[in-house]
Amino acid sequence: MTNRGIAPFRSSGQVVGHLVALATIIVWGVTFISTKMLLVDFSPVEILLLRFLLGWLALWLVCPHRLRVGSRKDELLFALAGLSGVSLYFLLENVALTLTFASNVGVIVAVAPFFTALLAWRFLGAARPGAVFCVGFAVAITGIACISLAGNELALNPAGDVLALLAALSWAVYSIVVRMLAARGYGSLPATRRIFFYGLVCMLPILPFAGISFRPEALLRPVNWANLFFLGLCASALCFVTWTYCVRLLGAVKASLYIYLVPVVTVITSIALLDERVTLLSGAGMALTLAGLLISERGTAAARGNAQEREAPSEGQA
């Protein structure tokens, strides 16, 4: 007898995974406010370098033991995770912000869950993205576009838009690689520390061309260090560990769906901290984004259930 109607929240591990993913996304949604404040005194590359250097040091202090890597292939996977999820993703996104509208970047980067689903189907043997997943994706992107258009403009800027699309693809690659490393039994904390190390190494070639200065007056401002510690310790060290953990529990595709909520959290944070007003368009966008998340989540659960039914033996074979 086959098992029909698999519920997405059936196991306690799934519940924990969803809660951890939601908490992680809430913190990441707030990072835009901290980054915006730091951009007054620091360049994007300076923020990126300090953020992940602080994160790596924090993880090293918490877990100083050397990680034993099982094979050269696994070492290459750690390097690929550092390149895709730390160096490339943030650099591509930051450069895209200088070439196109922030609203464009917000919409395009949200394509990451769709790329993740395609890569998981190709490399992890996951179910092929079905119609329900695609409908949810379309609804969520429409909602994110509404949020971006509320008070901003959306127009094609080919160079910046392509870089934003490549950033979304980089994050999808990172999510898939993290899932592969989790399947090999590496713990979330030591694995994240290793990934940060390779991310920092991959930044080194661009530093001579990035105009790094670290002005003393900027480094002496307490508000800058407060934001840097938030980005480095909380949004990087802690949240990358929790993201790896929820990818282990939920899978790369289902965890990546929570990326849809980043613009929603940013809008709510802006209302709470910057005294901005919610408009009819942004309110509708948040509702559509949440609806798209739920639809896509049901699509992944249904696809997984159908795959399990096809693999299960029939009653005559049992």
Side-chain angles (χ1 to χ4, degrees):
M1 185 174 181
T2 56
N3 187 16
R4 298 181 182 275
I6 297 176
F9 296 99
R10 185 170 181 177
S11 69
S12 59
Q14 289 275 299
V15 174
V16 172
H18 284 285
L19 291 175
V20 171
L22 181 60
T24 302
I25 288 300
I26 288 174
V27 174
W28 280 347
V30 178
T31 59
F32 289 94
I33 307 298
S34 287
T35 302
K36 186 175 181 180
M37 295 174 70
L38 286 170
L39 284 171
V40 175
D41 291 319
F42 298 97
S43 71
V45 176
E46 288 172 343
I47 296 171
L48 184 61
L49 179 62
L50 288 172
R51 170 181 177 173
F52 283 98
L53 183 59
L54 285 171
W56 179 78
L57 289 172
L59 292 175
W60 185 83
L61 289 172
V62 173
C63 182
H65 305 292
R66 183 175 180 270
L67 176 66
R68 295 185 180 276
V69 180
S71 66
R72 183 173 296 179
K73 181 179 179 181
D74 289 1
E75 195 73 72
L76 290 175
L77 287 175
F78 278 112
L80 179 58
L83 174 64
S84 59
V86 176
S87 302
L88 278 181
Y89 172 74
F90 286 98
L91 286 172
L92 288 169
E93 185 180 63
N94 287 342
V95 174
L97 286 169
T98 67
L99 298 175
T100 188
F101 298 111
S103 52
N104 290 40
V105 176
V107 174
I108 295 171
V109 168
V111 178
F114 187 72
F115 283 150
T116 304
L118 292 177
L119 293 177
W121 170 50
R122 175 64 180 83
F123 294 103
L124 299 181
R128 181 177 181 176
V132 176
F133 177 90
C134 292
V135 168
F137 168 75
V139 172
I141 289 296
T142 302
I144 293 168
C146 289
I147 294 172
S148 298
L149 286 169
N152 298 288
E153 56 181 315
L154 196 67
L156 290 177
N157 293 273
D161 294 345
V162 168
L163 290 178
L165 193 64
L166 290 175
L169 180 58
S170 294
W171 186 260
V173 171
Y174 172 75
S175 296
I176 296 301
V177 174
V178 164
R179 183 71 179 114
M180 295 171 69
L181 290 170
R184 284 163 164 77
Y186 294 105
S188 299
L189 198 154
T192 303
R193 189 191 67 190
R194 194 80 163 197
I195 290 169
F196 278 20
F197 169 76
Y198 278 113
L200 289 167
V201 169
C202 292
M203 290 181 206
L204 294 179
I206 69 165
L207 294 184
F209 311 99
I212 302 294
S213 61
F214 293 125
R215 294 180 293 112
E217 61 272 21
L219 292 171
L220 291 174
R221 294 183 63 189
V223 66
N224 285 339
W225 278 108
N227 283 298
L228 284 170
F229 277 116
F230 170 73
L231 291 176
L233 304 184
C234 189
S236 296
L238 177 60
C239 284
F240 269 72
V241 171
T242 57
W243 184 257
T244 301
Y245 179 71
C246 69
V247 166
R248 182 194 303 271
L249 291 178
L250 300 178
V253 177
K254 188 175 287 189
S256 70
L257 295 177
Y258 280 89
I259 292 173
Y260 293 150
L261 296 182
V262 171
V264 175
V265 175
T266 303
V267 169
I268 295 173
T269 305
S270 298
I271 294 169
L273 300 181
L274 303 181
D275 202 26
E276 295 184 1
R277 293 184 178 181
V278 60
T279 65
L280 180 62
L281 191 59
S282 62
M286 287 189 285
L288 285 171
T289 303
L290 291 170
L293 170 64
L294 294 174
I295 294 170
S296 291
E297 202 282 335
R298 286 184 176 275
T300 58
R304 186 180 296 107
N306 292 335
Q308 289 179 350
E309 287 184 1
R310 287 193 298 269
E311 293 173 2
S314 64
E315 293 183 10
Q317 294 173 317

